[in-house]
Amino acid sequence: MAKASYFDMVYDVVRCVPHGRVTTYGTIASFLSLGSARMVGWALNNCHDMGDVPAHRVVNRKGELSGRAHFRPPSRMQELLELEGIKVENDAIVGFEALLWNPADHF
DNA sequence: ATTGTGACATACG
DNA sequence: CCGTATGCCACAA
């Protein structure tokens, strides 16, 4: 069986994010009460092998699509968000605070 | 054990 | 909001 690495927990939380919602690195890190926001971003960097992780729903504290450069093509991230009804402007989510999803709220 | 690295967060001015 | 500085900690080699 797979070992429950920190990455797996991050992936699991991100998968739980409902459509039309977004979350931040710090929120995930805080929910896991382990590691720091950098760990979340680093975990998503490894998500290349997963493919099941909607990383486009994870943004930084400013609601900016900080990780879009890691998508192929980079514009894919914004496109995916708009498909879920999320408006993105200047590489930042419009009203992202209202769309911010708290993982603890799902439990 | 040590070093390098990372898609961030927070504090201060 | 911006720039700078520092903290943060898991993972790979």
Side-chain angles (χ1 to χ4, degrees):
Chain A
M1 288 299 288
K3 295 179 294 186
S5 300
Y6 187 88
F7 300 149
D8 296 316
M9 292 193 294
V10 175
Y11 302 145
D12 190 32
V13 173
V14 175
R15 286 194 195 101
C16 289
V17 178
H19 288 211
R21 291 281 188 159
V22 295
T23 189
T24 72
Y25 300 97
T27 299
I28 295 172
S30 179
F31 174 70
L32 296 176
S33 63
L34 177 64
S36 61
R38 284 188 170 172
M39 313 293 75
V40 180
W42 188 41
L44 292 181
N45 190 18
N46 283 272
C47 84
H48 278 232
D49 294 336
M50 306 303 289
D52 293 347
V53 181
H56 59 271
R57 296 190 189 126
V58 184
V59 296
N60 63 8
R61 190 179 83 77
K62 295 175 291 191
E64 181 186 19
L65 285 56
S66 51
R68 96 191 139 185
H70 295 257
F71 281 75
R72 263 133 37 237
S75 60
R76 184 60 182 266
M77 186 173 186
Q78 179 175 335
E79 193 172 325
L80 289 169
L81 289 171
E82 290 186 336
L83 289 174
E84 296 185 359
I86 299 174
K87 293 178 181 175
V88 179
E89 189 169 294
N90 192 11
D91 299 328
I93 295 175
V94 179
F96 100 99
E97 293 181 353
L99 297 173
L100 184 58
W101 175 76
N102 187 331
D105 184 61
H106 185 66
F107 292 94

